[in-house]
Amino acid sequence: MVKQASEQGLKWYQDVRFGMFIHWGPSAVPARHDWIMAAESISVPDYEQYTRQFNPTKFNADEWVSVAADAGQKYIVFTSRHHDGFSMYDTALSDYKITNTAFGRDPARELADACARRGDIKLGFYNSLLDWHHPAYRFREESGLAWSDYLEFLHGQVRELCTNFGEIACMWFDGHWPNHQFDEEHQYFMAGGSFEYEKLYNMIHTLQPDATVLNNHHAQPQPGEDVQGFEQDLPGMNTTGWQNLEISSLALEVCMTINDHWFYIRGSDNHKSLRSLVHYLARAASAGANYLLNVGPNEEGVINPIHVARLQGIGAWLQANGESIYGTRAGVIEPTASAVSTRNGDTHYVHLLDYISDSVTLAGVPDSVNAAHLLVSGDAVPMERTDKGVVITVPAAQRDPLNTVVVLS
Ligand code: GLC
């Protein structure tokens, strides 16, 4: 029997609905590609140069955590080790780590402390399953090491993350793609055996009973996983083309970038608009999913000011409209191209995202609903039951250009 997260842990996770993903590491030095080692076939010694140049002296954990908190985000998922194999915390299991650089500080520790100081935001960890640096993963034949040596390292690191940072929000795994081609020359996607998920997940759920487990493997959930993840996509949409996942009965999460990259990439300036980010948040919540929105701080430790501004904008919208997101579950009112809904018990929140006309017809509104009002002003909204559904009318002057929420109860 594989353990799951506790009921209260799962409830907390689903109630908070909005988190910050942070992709950060030495690849912010070259800043050319999320997977620069693989994309440019960079050797381990050559990549290690970047780790020596990485000295992000402007990193300030309290500032980052404040950016997340001001955005209304309630958890942070931080890359403790990405595919490059460089640990962004003071692991006892490898010398290839940030505390062995000129920078010398432990950002995971500082983030955990900053979260603890505030108390309204929890830290969780992204951990890569694959490792392009570890000899037992990538250079097994040359090193004479065994797959079990890699597993010991991977599970050992997860144990550290579940032991050394207080209560964590979640463990977020990435890097197991069963459909990927094996790259003979670089052995990039090689997995010499199973990752022993049952053992791994049981350990997490024993050490951190409230923490949720998500594995971004792009396949149907496996025993012991608490959250089904959708990458750069809303549940069930499969707009990416490679994630044709059936929506499971697990808690759901959508992770997404603000521009087109996870890490800091110079010139990656295709930023989503504030409006579109607020819409994604509402659409994710309406599908019963958390929204994990990414920032990729640069080589100095600075979050892109454009992303900070976007996050502030979302925070301002949430400040007024948070009731329609936090603590809600998937909507029962039929979504249309321009309106989605969330629900908290018998209260239904209709998110009007686009206006085709002043009147919106909603199908599937429960019989218990007999009144409508604007969430922010409290003003009554005219509501009429017709053959086609409930018609609500919100004139232009009453609309929020980002997303107008109408409460039906
Ligand atoms: C993808 C990317 C990986 C990134 C992850 C975050 O799997 O390949 O680099 O960390 O998405 O969701």
Side-chain angles (χ1 to χ4, degrees):
M1 220 355 230
V2 192
K3 289 188 186 181
Q4 303 274 156
S6 70
E7 245 173 69
Q8 72 170 28
L10 204 57
K11 181 178 183 311
W12 177 87
Y13 171 83
Q14 288 180 288
D15 282 350
V16 298
R17 278 291 175 249
F18 190 29
M20 173 182 272
F21 214 168
I22 303 179
H23 273 74
W24 197 42
S27 69
V29 173
R32 292 193 298 267
H33 200 287
D34 277 335
W35 280 19
I36 189 165
M37 266 187 104
E40 299 182 10
S41 300
I42 297 178
S43 70
V44 164
D46 283 348
Y47 189 80
E48 284 175 348
Q49 303 284 348
Y50 297 129
T51 69
R52 284 192 279 277
Q53 290 164 37
F54 187 45
N55 189 9
T57 48
K58 293 191 181 155
F59 167 65
N60 181 323
D62 289 303
E63 257 173 48
W64 286 15
V65 174
S66 295
V67 170
D70 292 348
Q73 295 170 317
K74 307 293 182 191
Y75 64 110
I76 290 175
V77 181
F78 177 68
T79 45
S80 47
R81 176 172 54 81
H82 202 257
H83 306 333
D84 63 5
F86 187 73
S87 293
M88 290 293 288
Y89 71 102
D90 190 14
T91 175
L93 303 175
S94 168
D95 292 332
Y96 195 51
K97 57 181 174 183
I98 190 153
T99 44
N100 277 351
T101 63
F103 183 55
R105 288 159 51 190
D106 179 340
R109 162 99 285 130
E110 292 184 29
L111 284 167
D113 291 347
C115 288
R117 272 193 287 280
R118 292 188 59 105
D120 57 356
I121 215 161
K122 281 198 208 175
L123 183 64
F125 295 110
Y126 165 111
N127 205 60
S128 173
L129 295 160
L130 61 78
D131 189 313
W132 294 332
H133 185 274
H134 199 286
Y137 189 95
R138 185 160 167 209
F139 304 107
R140 207 147 55 238
E141 272 172 28
E142 299 94 304
S143 68
L145 294 169
W147 177 247
S148 57
D149 294 312
Y150 179 68
L151 273 191
E152 200 180 309
F153 167 70
L154 172 71
H155 285 223
Q157 283 211 316
V158 174
R159 178 177 289 281
E160 289 181 325
L161 297 169
C162 290
T163 313
N164 298 347
F165 297 91
E167 202 188 300
I168 62 169
C170 58
M171 281 302 310
W172 209 104
F173 294 106
D174 185 43
H176 175 191
W177 298 295
N179 300 327
H180 260 113
Q181 292 281 311
F182 171 57
D183 179 325
E184 288 287 342
E185 193 186 343
H186 301 104
Q187 307 193 343
Y188 275 134
F189 307 114
M190 174 185 71
S194 100
F195 290 106
E196 297 191 2
Y197 288 139
E198 295 204 358
K199 199 172 145 202
L200 188 67
Y201 298 164
N202 273 334
M203 174 177 70
I204 298 164
H205 290 315
T206 303
L207 295 170
Q208 295 275 343
D210 292 342
T212 53
V213 169
L214 179 156
N215 190 329
N216 186 39
H217 46 41
H218 304 159
Q220 289 308 126
Q222 301 188 23
E225 293 168 12
D226 306 291
V227 181
Q228 183 182 24
F230 295 82
E231 184 183 325
Q232 302 278 33
D233 207 6
L234 292 162
M237 302 301 269
N238 193 27
T239 48
T240 57
W242 39 259
Q243 263 178 127
N244 202 3
L245 298 176
E246 258 173 62
I247 299 175
S248 74
S249 59
L250 295 187
L252 310 175
E253 184 187 84
V254 169
C255 65
M256 199 174 275
T257 51
I258 297 180
N259 54 12
D260 294 332
H261 294 93
W262 296 103
F263 282 93
Y264 172 65
I265 303 295
R266 233 163 258 124
S268 180
D269 291 329
N270 183 28
H271 309 290
K272 293 180 183 70
S273 67
L274 170 59
R275 188 160 185 272
S276 115
L277 294 170
V278 168
H279 287 193
Y280 274 120
L281 172 66
R283 285 185 188 280
S286 79
N290 284 20
Y291 192 44
L292 184 67
L293 189 57
N294 184 71
V295 293
N298 72 10
E299 78 284 12
E300 296 185 297
V302 176
I303 300 176
N304 187 332
I306 297 173
H307 295 184
V308 173
R310 293 287 194 279
L311 290 165
Q312 281 167 344
I314 303 174
W317 182 85
L318 273 171
Q319 193 81 58
N321 295 277
E323 187 191 318
S324 68
I325 300 287
Y326 300 123
T328 65
R329 295 295 181 268
V332 294
I333 298 171
E334 262 179 49
T336 70
S338 55
V340 298
S341 75
T342 52
R343 181 179 68 92
N344 194 340
D346 285 336
T347 306
H348 305 268
Y349 300 94
V350 178
H351 299 254
L352 299 175
L353 306 176
D354 287 301
Y355 297 92
I356 293 151
S357 73
D358 285 359
S359 296
V360 181
T361 306
L362 302 165
V365 175
D367 290 341
S368 62
V369 168
N370 52 40
H373 68 266
L374 288 168
L375 174 61
V376 173
S377 66
D379 290 349
V381 169
M383 172 186 136
E384 199 191 335
R385 278 196 185 267
T386 69
D387 291 353
K388 296 205 176 82
V390 166
V391 181
I392 54 172
T393 304
V394 181
Q398 293 187 315
R399 292 174 202 157
D400 178 332
L402 295 176
N403 170 3
T404 313
V405 179
V406 177
V407 185
L408 301 187
S409 58

